[in-house]
Amino acid sequence: VMKGKEDLSRLKEAGTERIGVAIDAAIPRLFEKYRGREVKGPHNWDKYWQTMEDAVDIFGPYMVGTHLIVGLGETEKEMVEAIAKAYELKVLTHLFSFFPEAGSPMQNHPQAPLGQYRRIQLARYLINDKNFDPQLIHYNAEGRITDFGIDIEDTIKEGMAFMTSGCPNEDGMVACNRPFANERASQRLRNYPFKPNEEDINLIRSQIWAGQ
């Protein structure tokens, strides 16, 4: 358990280059429901965000990451706001899509529709990698993305938005390539562990606005 800046400093002194803070839930209500008091968990929303701020002070801008899980009950707007809040702190976001593990307390919780995950993947990539202003995004009354306010076709073709996000290798490419935290091996990939090819991109393009 991290107790504050002193522990973070010791990690830095020991040779740690990057650090991740897995906050998982995009909003305080869901954090409390799944990680905090409602499940008798020791975790505190404000403490997690403060730890990210402290870690940036010690490890430097964009050397800190946070995990967020899409589909815990947040709206797309709330998820985008959490990604943007982290980026304002100079923290990068790494996405996973909730998967209902059999035998777990959430085995009956529905998985986010694929279209929802694709839209959030695009938003995360644009915010983290393309200097995009999230205020350009338009939402409907349910907080679902209806338009990004820019032409997204080149970003879709590029394919990087739909890959597993995580720590980079020496060439700056994503080194985290585990796809199956999000789905069964028999399901369509949500996080691609490789750069999507033209066939993959055509499939992804058809998925982005599904469920609208």
Side-chain angles (χ1 to χ4, degrees):
V1 177
M2 300 304 299
K3 295 179 181 177
K5 271 190 163 182
E6 290 182 5
D7 285 351
L8 292 166
S9 295
R10 280 196 285 271
L11 286 173
K12 176 73 170 176
E13 290 163 7
T16 303
E17 295 179 354
R18 295 174 178 269
I19 191 166
V21 181
I23 195 167
D24 294 339
I27 57 175
R29 174 177 60 81
L30 294 175
F31 187 91
E32 287 295 324
K33 183 176 182 179
Y34 295 121
R35 304 205 63 194
R37 287 172 293 184
E38 290 188 37
V39 289
K40 297 182 172 58
H43 307 295
N44 178 276
W45 171 267
D46 292 332
K47 175 67 172 176
Y48 267 62
W49 284 93
Q50 185 59 56
T51 298
M52 284 190 270
E53 286 193 59
D54 292 344
V56 170
D57 287 344
I58 291 165
F59 292 92
Y62 312 115
M63 299 300 281
V64 180
T66 186
H67 287 178
L68 286 171
I69 298 174
V70 175
L72 295 180
E74 77 291 336
T75 66
E76 293 177 31
K77 186 174 189 289
E78 288 169 335
M79 180 58 73
V80 170
E81 286 171 347
I83 293 166
K85 177 181 176 180
Y87 193 71
E88 285 175 10
L89 297 176
K90 297 181 170 54
V91 173
L92 300 176
T93 296
H94 309 306
L95 286 182
F96 292 95
S97 179
F98 171 77
F99 182 80
E101 292 284 353
S104 74
M106 296 181 70
Q107 64 179 350
N108 296 318
H109 186 87
Q111 191 172 26
L114 188 50
Q116 177 182 343
Y117 193 59
R118 292 286 181 241
R119 293 188 290 273
I120 296 299
Q121 284 179 308
L122 266 172
R124 182 211 68 86
Y125 183 71
L126 288 168
I127 292 168
N128 279 195
D129 293 84
K130 296 293 185 179
N131 197 30
F132 173 74
D133 180 1
Q135 298 296 322
L136 294 173
I137 298 177
H138 298 126
Y139 303 89
N140 67 10
E142 287 75 43
R144 186 183 302 129
I145 295 169
T146 58
D147 187 85
F148 285 88
I150 61 168
D151 185 350
I152 57 173
E153 180 57 27
D154 286 346
T155 305
I156 294 170
K157 283 182 179 178
E158 190 179 287
M160 300 290 287
F162 312 104
M163 294 177 64
T164 307
S165 50
C167 293
N169 61 19
E170 292 178 355
D171 298 322
M173 296 297 292
V174 173
C176 179
N177 61 4
R178 50 185 175 153
F180 300 127
N182 308 275
E183 65 277 295
R184 296 188 189 281
S186 59
Q187 290 180 301
R188 286 177 172 170
L189 287 173
R190 293 196 169 216
N191 286 349
Y192 281 78
F194 49 80
K195 194 171 188 295
N197 62 26
E198 185 176 356
E199 182 179 349
D200 297 323
I201 293 299
N202 288 335
L203 177 60
I204 287 167
R205 188 183 289 106
S206 73
Q207 295 165 342
I208 289 170
W209 300 113
Q212 284 289 78

